[in-house]
Amino acid sequence: MPDINYDNTFAQLYGRGLKGKDRLTKAWYANSPLKLVDERSADALRQVRYWIDCGDDDGLSRANSLLHIALMEKRVPHEFRIRDGGHTWTYWRTGITDALAFIGVSFHQ
C-alpha cells in the first residue's frame, strides 16, 4: 500500500511512519479477521451473518478468499462474491443493492 494511503487511512490506528511488515503491529494482528475466525468457535462465528464481496482486481481479493476458506473449513454460513472490478466506487455501486438486501434480512429475523 502506498505510504500516503496508509498514512491517511491506518496510521492513526496502527502507528505513523511504519513501513512494510512493521505496519503489522500487535493491534493489527489482534484484529485480523483471519485470526478472529481461527480463535473463535464455529458456534460463536455463526452468531453473525457474513457478506464478503470483493473485486478480482482488488488488492484485498486474496485475503478475502482466505477468509472465505477459513469460514468454509469451520462450516460457518456466509455469502462470498468475487466480481469483476477493483476497489472503486463503481464496483460498490454495482453491488450495494444485493448487499443491502442481505443486510435487510437480518432485521426480519
Side-chain angles (χ1 to χ4, degrees):
M1 169 183 292
D3 291 340
I4 189 71
N5 292 1
Y6 174 83
D7 289 339
N8 289 337
T9 307
F10 300 110
Q12 185 174 351
L13 294 171
Y14 301 117
R16 299 202 178 280
L18 300 175
K19 308 280 185 203
K21 293 216 181 243
D22 289 338
R23 291 177 176 170
L24 306 181
T25 64
K26 184 177 178 182
W28 185 91
Y29 282 108
N31 294 289
S32 162
L34 290 171
K35 183 173 187 275
L36 295 172
V37 168
D38 183 54
E39 291 180 346
R40 286 181 172 65
S41 71
D43 288 337
L45 292 168
R46 287 187 192 106
Q47 301 303 308
V48 175
R49 297 182 70 236
Y50 300 92
W51 175 271
I52 305 166
D53 185 347
C54 191
D56 58 357
D57 294 326
D58 189 323
L60 300 172
S61 61
R62 182 179 183 276
N64 280 309
S65 296
L66 292 172
L67 180 59
H68 163 63
I69 291 166
L71 290 169
M72 280 183 30
E73 288 176 347
K74 286 200 168 185
R75 293 187 171 94
V76 175
H78 62 285
E79 294 294 325
F80 176 67
R81 307 279 186 277
I82 294 275
R83 299 183 292 117
D84 187 39
H87 201 95
T88 65
W89 284 113
T90 300
Y91 179 87
W92 292 111
R93 276 193 302 272
T94 63
I96 193 71
T97 304
D98 291 337
L100 290 173
F102 177 83
I103 293 166
V105 169
S106 297
F107 292 105
H108 299 287
Q109 291 183 348

